[in-house]
Amino acid sequence: MSSHAGDGAFGSAVYFRVNDVDAVFSDLRTRGWTPVHDRGPVYEAPTDQTWDMRELYVSDPDGNCLRFGSPLVRSDANEKVRP
């Protein structure tokens, strides 16, 4: 991932597994980041995924996708809860 031609691939994705994706979202909003509203809910706010992760995707100015995710914890066989 790079913003310099020839130094990496544009449009790459990198995944950051974090303890609390909602805290990352809150911190980004506090710092002035504005969610993208035309690419789906996971680009707007943390979203529970079917693969038991809560994720947020952020596009950077170079077209790369920064993906943040926290595992959803199961309290029983049917219920997912956030850590």
Side-chain angles (χ1 to χ4, degrees):
M1 189 163 90
S2 176
S3 60
H4 303 287
D7 191 31
F10 288 95
S12 295
V14 69
Y15 196 92
F16 298 96
R17 189 173 174 129
V18 297
N19 291 329
D20 186 351
V21 73
D22 292 284
V24 171
F25 176 71
S26 179
D27 186 51
L28 288 169
R29 296 290 290 152
T30 299
R31 295 170 185 259
W33 173 74
T34 304
V36 175
H37 296 289
D38 62 350
R39 299 199 58 196
V42 75
Y43 283 90
E44 295 178 22
T47 303
D48 292 350
Q49 303 288 16
T50 58
W51 46 89
D52 292 340
M53 293 295 287
R54 184 162 174 80
E55 297 182 331
L56 172 68
Y57 295 177
V58 176
S59 296
D60 76 6
D62 295 310
N64 301 301
C65 182
L66 309 177
R67 298 178 180 186
F68 300 90
S70 310
L72 290 170
V73 179
R74 292 187 180 273
S75 63
D76 64 26
N78 298 318
E79 182 183 355
K80 297 177 197 170
V81 294
R82 295 181 197 134

